[in-house]
Amino acid sequence: CVQYIPEIQISCASLTPDKNILLLGMSNGDVFFWDIQQKTRLKDYSLYPYISDNSYFQQILCSPDGKYIACLLSDMILLLDAETETILFRHIIKKVHYGNMILFSENSEYLFMQFDSNYMLLNLKTYQSIEVKDTDNSGNSFVTAVFSHDNQKILILDSHLIILWTLNGRLIQK
């Protein structure tokens, strides 16, 4: 269903919650929106004005309610309004490495981010963030995270730590 474009590579992909649109993070910093049923490209959105020449996509996600698109690039995290494509939040990543990740809560109220041995939780209603720095994650391990069903806690697992983080900001580390 996806057209072949030889000069641009697909770096990452994600489906919208209704599973009708495929979001593609492209090697040139563009986001392509593909209608899966019609097998056509609906629109493109270029992140180029906001990213550096060395940026590349690592992950793209649509929030469960379909209102937000989160883009994890090699050197920044961007949160876009899915309808207007306006940038709502931007965070610069200082160290470029694999192992970074982003994850929406099931109720689309929070965006969890892991980068540079740090964890950040962004409240999507207020755009306020809580950041935990220097978690002993060397930056080389891959992190797994999952929100609780009530969206009040997040469990974070990496190669060295197990962390239970309550969304009121309290961190319980084991």
Side-chain angles (χ1 to χ4, degrees):
C1 100
V2 177
Q3 241 176 323
Y4 177 66
I5 306 169
E7 66 277 4
I8 304 172
Q9 295 178 343
I10 298 170
S11 299
C12 54
S14 179
L15 288 171
T16 56
D18 62 10
K19 312 260 189 283
N20 290 325
I21 298 173
L22 179 65
L23 303 174
L24 300 172
M26 308 302 288
S27 61
N28 66 348
D30 286 351
V31 177
F32 288 175
F33 296 75
W34 290 89
D35 184 312
I36 294 173
Q37 301 299 321
Q38 301 298 317
K39 299 181 181 173
T40 58
R41 193 160 84 192
L42 297 174
K43 61 182 176 176
D44 303 350
Y45 179 69
S46 179
L47 297 177
Y48 188 72
Y50 310 103
I51 63 175
S52 72
D53 290 337
N54 298 326
S55 292
Y56 56 89
F57 264 102
Q58 291 185 347
Q59 188 180 0
I60 189 168
L61 282 179
C62 189
S63 63
D65 64 3
K67 292 181 180 178
Y68 305 103
I69 297 171
C71 302
L72 172 61
L73 294 115
S74 55
D75 57 358
M76 74 181 65
I77 298 169
L78 296 172
L79 179 69
L80 309 174
D81 181 298
E83 187 175 324
T84 66
E85 299 164 4
T86 304
I87 293 182
L88 303 171
F89 176 82
R90 180 179 177 192
H91 183 81
I92 304 298
I93 298 174
K94 295 180 182 108
K95 297 179 205 168
V96 177
H97 57 70
Y98 288 99
N100 297 335
M101 72 162 297
I102 51 177
L103 175 70
F104 283 104
S105 62
E106 291 179 27
N107 62 3
S108 300
E109 289 185 14
Y110 296 95
L111 176 64
F112 169 77
M113 299 164 268
Q114 185 273 321
F115 53 90
D116 297 341
S117 300
N118 301 332
Y119 301 117
M120 181 183 285
L121 194 62
L122 178 66
N123 182 318
L124 297 177
K125 290 183 178 181
T126 64
Y127 300 109
Q128 293 181 336
S129 62
I130 302 168
E131 186 171 358
V132 177
K133 297 179 183 267
D134 302 322
T135 59
D136 295 332
N137 177 344
S138 65
N140 296 319
S141 65
F142 286 89
V143 171
T144 300
V146 63
F147 280 91
S148 62
H149 289 292
D150 64 0
N151 294 295
Q152 295 304 305
K153 298 177 197 75
I154 184 166
L155 180 66
I156 306 162
L157 308 169
D158 73 20
S159 59
H160 306 290
L161 298 171
I162 298 174
I163 297 173
L164 181 62
W165 193 356
T166 61
L167 298 192
N168 65 8
R170 200 174 98 215
L171 191 69
I172 306 166
Q173 186 169 325
K174 294 183 178 183

